[in-house]
Each structure stands twice: as C-alpha cells, then as structure tokens.
Amino acid sequence: MTDLNEAIQFFESQPGMDKLFRLLRDELLTHRRIKGHVKLDGFSLIELESIAHFFQVSIDSLKIKGRVDLEAFNRKLDSPPFNGIDLTQLLEAYFDEKLLTLSTKEERSLYLKRLEKEFSLLKDWLAYLRTHSRDVRWIHDMIEESSHQFEQHVLYLSEGIRLLPSRPIRLSVFSQIITLDADAFQPSSPLGKLWLHVLAETKRLHAIEPIRLPENRKKEDKLLKEFNLFREDISDSVTVANLFAETQKGYHPMWEAAVHARSVLTVPLREVIKLTAVYPAHETGIVYVVDDPELFTRILDDVPSIPMICTKEEWTCATWEVFDRIEDSGFDLRFIGNFTPEGIVRAEELLLHYPTQSSTWRMDIPTYLKSRNLNEYLSDKDCELLDKHHLDYLACLKDEMRDRHQAGYLMNVADELIQELKKYYN
C-alpha cells in the first residue's frame, strides 16, 4: 500500500480513525511538528480495537497506555504496508488542507532558529535565510507553503553536507544514498535547487556576501564539481600514453593494449574511478605531466615510449584521480609547462599537492630565456598571478619573469627537449 489514496481509503474504513486523525491534526498544529500525544478518552471499544490493530498491540496494552504518540504513529507509517507515508502528508491529504504553514516573518524566523539548533551543519545557511533578503524569497515561499516539507529537505541537505564525497561520484548516486531517490538532488527539483544554494553558501568568503546561485548549467556543473559531484562522468576525462593500470581484478586490458600498440588513451572519469593503480610502462618510474597538448603530440611523435599525461592546460577531476593512483603506486610526476603565469600556477599546484613525489622538468631560467616570445609582453595584472602561491622552488624563475614581463613557450625549444628525452627513452 504505497499509494496515498489507498492509505486514505484504508483509514476511512477503520472505526475511530477519523476521530483520532482530528486529534492528531490539532496536536500537530500545536507543536508545529510531529511531536506530542493524544489521549484515547472517549473512544469506544470497537474504535480502540481498530487503533490497537493498526499498532499491532493488544487492546489491553493500548488501554493501559491510554494515548497515541505522534512520533509512534509516524514510525508505524514507515513500515509495510504503508512504506514511508509521512504523517503530515497523510493528514494533509485526508483533510485536503495544508498544515504547518508559516505566514509571517516572525513565525518563519522562530522556525529557522529552531532548525539552526537541530542542524548545526547548516547553521550559517539557515542564519542567512533569517535575513529575509529578497534573493531568498523563493525559499521563504517554500517554508510558507509547507514548513514540514521544507524541514524534510533540510534533513536531506544536512546529510548531504555530512556525507560530501572525498572522491568523485555521480550526483544521481549521491542522491540515491541520501534520499533513496536518484533524481532528488537534480538542480531542476526543489531540493536540488536548495542543494546548490547550500553549496554556494559554503563558497562565500565573508558572511556579508550574498549567496549567488549558478546562472546556467555550465556554472551549476562547475559548482558541483568543486564538491566531487558530477551530473555525468563522461565529458570529464584524462589523456594518457604509456601507462599501465589495474583494477581489483588485475591488469586493465585496455591500458595494456594501448601501451603495446603505442596508442594514446582518453579515459573518462567513469572508468578512472574503477582503477586501483596507475604506473608508467617504463623502468625509469617517471610520468611526465605535459601541460601543452601540441608539445605532448610532438614529444610522442619522436619519443613514442615515454609515459605521459596531457593536462590540456587545465585540471580535470579524472586527471587528479590518475595522479593519486600514480602517487599511491610509488612513482614520480614531472611537470612540463609553458612559462606563463597560468602555467607556473599549475606547476605549483601539482608541487603543493604531491610535495614528495612531484617536481618540474626544464622549468628553469636558461630554458625560459631560450623559449621567450619576444613579441609578447605580460601585463602587470598577468604578473600578479605569479603571487598566487609562494614556493621557493620556482621563486627565482618567477622573479625573472616579473623583470622581463615576457612569456615563454616550450614549443620554441621542442627539438632541444626531445633530444634530451631520447637519451632516456630510446
């Protein structure tokens, strides 16, 4: 009996349930939540038998107790044959009216204060809602329509924050874990929109800043990605060459075949998260991380056996997943990037992430001077990006770039780099 209408028909056929439901409704409105109890004074024997049958207890034990707890009634609805029908939902459908609405600002503020105490993980977000600013009017409309439904949303949101994944996971899988509904956290649903709002709140630098929802699908995906959540896991990928991989079943045949065929693999996040290990298919034990796709192609043409990953001048989640598995396998990463502020920042991010197993290769002052584009100058704003991280490792190089205000591109010295690599990868 999972259908709400079937449940109503059942209770309408049971003696005393209409009288009990009216008492339950009054108690619910008194506490504005599923709390409290109603006394069974004035119920006839046949009516008590009906209630005892619902709770699956004897009529004598029901008489001794002499009351029905709202929480107990709600818990009973969570078991077969009702399978999760909520008491508030049942009463609203039975009486065909909205219950627990909060029409005034004062009522909603007190309500939100209570939620702050109960859901501490969402305290800052709920406090922001209490400001009643215009940008959260849509949320207050939800509360006014059904505070009970909103409280159920808050419960799911709190669980979502508590269980935020440390590894990439599809949003539908995450939603299934939290709510048992794969679509509940989709941004098109009320709960999904609230979820984006909560995530946006955690990105604020200061409490006085407004919470800004993503304006389009691309920005929604970007926000979700920052918390390891993906609407789909096909477009996020990593490009590799000459790397072996393993799953729990052993060697991954696709990666192994690509090594033997000297083929490049572009692997989506969907497949990467299944891997337990990634390591270079060469005895040197080094994987080169090449930022520039043109340089990646050029090196591979002349040094076909070199283990490499191409970042395409941006980090993807799939790339970081492969990096983690290489680190766990005990091998080293060597970053090869252009002498631009963005390239330097990416190099430093890799060094910060894997301080003992990563370094740069040929990102030094002599190579920079040879690779400079003499017709391209960096603005002062471009150079400010060099201050994003403060690592001694590249400090001298950054000072040189600031002094000259020029970028350098490794394609200008590609032949020299390739000749050096050939010494190690014949």
Side-chain angles (χ1 to χ4, degrees):
M1 188 189 298
T2 57
D3 182 75
L4 187 58
N5 291 327
E6 290 181 19
I8 291 173
Q9 290 174 10
F10 168 77
F11 285 113
E12 286 178 338
S13 68
Q14 301 301 302
M17 282 298 176
D18 181 74
K19 184 190 299 185
L20 178 64
F21 276 17
R22 293 182 185 279
L23 294 174
L24 292 176
R25 180 183 61 178
D26 293 342
E27 189 71 5
L28 182 72
L29 292 173
T30 299
H31 296 284
R32 307 205 64 83
R33 60 190 303 191
I34 299 175
K35 184 180 179 181
H37 63 271
V38 298
K39 293 183 178 181
L40 296 176
D41 300 341
F43 281 76
S44 67
L45 182 61
I46 191 171
E47 290 172 339
L48 291 175
E49 286 178 347
S50 175
I51 297 171
H53 177 72
F54 169 76
F55 281 105
Q56 295 181 321
V57 298
S58 68
I59 190 169
D60 289 335
S61 62
L62 184 65
K63 284 181 178 179
I64 293 172
K65 186 173 184 181
R67 69 184 194 184
V68 169
D69 296 321
L70 272 70
E71 296 96 327
F73 199 101
N74 194 51
R75 284 196 301 272
K76 195 63 183 173
L77 290 173
D78 200 35
S79 59
F82 305 100
N83 297 325
I85 293 175
D86 180 83
L87 176 58
T88 304
Q89 181 186 20
L90 176 63
L91 293 176
E92 286 182 338
Y94 186 87
F95 292 107
D96 192 24
E97 64 176 322
K98 283 289 183 182
L99 304 175
L100 304 185
T101 58
L102 299 173
S103 57
T104 69
K105 284 186 178 181
E106 291 73 20
E107 287 176 329
R108 291 195 297 274
S109 291
L110 291 173
Y111 169 75
L112 290 169
K113 273 188 175 182
R114 176 175 66 78
L115 294 185
E116 283 181 45
K117 294 179 181 179
E118 293 185 17
F119 301 98
S120 59
L121 293 177
L122 299 175
K123 183 177 180 181
D124 292 340
W125 179 68
L126 292 166
Y128 184 85
L129 300 187
R130 284 199 293 110
T131 63
H132 293 275
S133 55
R134 183 173 296 181
D135 61 310
V136 293
R137 179 63 228 178
W138 60 279
I139 299 179
H140 282 276
D141 288 342
M142 283 187 181
I143 300 172
E144 187 173 339
E145 182 178 352
S146 175
S147 61
H148 175 72
Q149 182 60 60
F150 180 77
E151 189 165 341
Q152 184 63 52
H153 287 334
V154 171
L155 173 62
Y156 289 145
L157 295 172
S158 180
E159 281 299 284
I161 290 296
R162 186 177 70 85
L163 297 176
L164 275 173
S166 58
R167 290 288 190 186
I169 187 174
R170 286 204 309 277
L171 182 62
S172 58
V173 175
F174 181 73
S175 180
Q176 181 75 33
I177 293 170
I178 302 298
T179 70
L180 303 181
D181 179 358
D183 296 321
F185 273 87
Q186 291 299 322
S188 57
S189 71
L191 177 59
K193 189 176 180 182
L194 288 172
W195 178 239
L196 289 177
H197 202 256
V198 169
L199 295 183
E201 191 279 327
T202 67
K203 300 297 294 182
R204 289 191 304 162
L205 297 177
H206 303 288
I208 59 173
E209 292 181 4
I211 300 175
R212 302 190 186 281
L213 276 172
E215 301 166 0
N216 51 50
R217 183 185 175 93
K218 185 176 181 180
K219 291 184 178 180
E220 288 174 357
D221 289 343
K222 182 180 179 182
L223 178 60
L224 291 169
K225 181 178 178 180
E226 292 185 49
F227 294 91
N228 284 323
L229 297 171
F230 291 77
R231 256 193 282 216
E232 48 78 24
D233 49 15
I234 295 297
S235 58
D236 189 291
S237 62
V238 59
T239 299
V240 304
N242 299 307
L243 295 179
F244 286 129
E246 294 180 12
T247 66
Q248 291 182 343
K249 297 180 180 179
Y251 287 117
H252 197 296
M254 182 178 69
W255 290 62
E256 188 174 13
V259 170
H260 294 310
R262 293 285 188 264
S263 296
V264 175
L265 279 181
T266 297
V267 189
L269 177 63
R270 181 184 182 87
E271 301 301 324
V272 170
I273 58 179
K274 301 174 184 178
L275 304 177
T276 57
V278 177
Y279 45 90
H282 195 278
E283 61 187 8
T284 58
I286 296 172
V287 179
Y288 289 87
V289 180
V290 183
D291 209 27
D292 186 333
E294 186 179 2
L295 181 64
F296 175 89
T297 301
R298 179 71 181 278
I299 292 174
L300 205 57
D301 286 343
D302 294 302
V303 193
S305 64
I306 182 172
M308 287 195 297
I309 296 173
C310 184
T311 63
K312 303 174 187 176
E313 299 183 338
E314 66 174 354
W315 300 126
T316 64
C317 196
T319 300
W320 286 113
E321 287 293 303
V322 170
F323 288 164
D324 285 350
R325 284 155 179 77
I326 291 172
E327 182 195 38
D328 292 342
S329 300
F331 296 94
D332 294 334
L333 300 166
R334 297 284 188 276
F335 186 85
I336 309 176
N338 288 318
F339 298 98
T340 62
E342 295 80 7
I344 298 297
V345 166
R346 278 190 291 277
E348 291 183 314
E349 286 171 346
L350 188 70
L351 295 171
L352 287 167
H353 210 84
Y354 308 102
T356 62
Q357 288 176 241
S358 67
S359 60
T360 60
W361 186 73
R362 293 298 299 268
M363 294 188 71
D364 49 43
I365 293 176
T367 306
Y368 164 62
L369 295 176
K370 293 177 186 176
S371 67
R372 283 179 301 153
N373 186 338
L374 300 179
N375 297 319
E376 181 180 336
Y377 285 87
L378 300 172
S379 67
D380 290 338
K381 187 175 182 180
D382 291 331
C383 289
E384 288 177 4
L385 188 57
L386 295 172
D387 298 325
K388 184 173 183 179
H389 303 295
H390 299 281
L391 293 180
D392 293 340
Y393 190 86
L394 296 173
C396 293
L397 173 61
K398 291 197 289 186
D399 287 341
E400 190 74 23
M401 290 176 64
R402 289 190 193 96
D403 292 342
R404 296 181 180 274
H405 273 65
Q406 289 178 317
Y409 297 93
L410 292 178
M411 279 302 296
N412 294 335
V413 291
D415 290 337
E416 181 181 327
L417 300 180
I418 289 169
Q419 288 306 312
E420 185 171 344
L421 289 171
K422 279 183 175 180
K423 296 176 184 178
Y424 309 105
Y425 300 93
N426 290 327

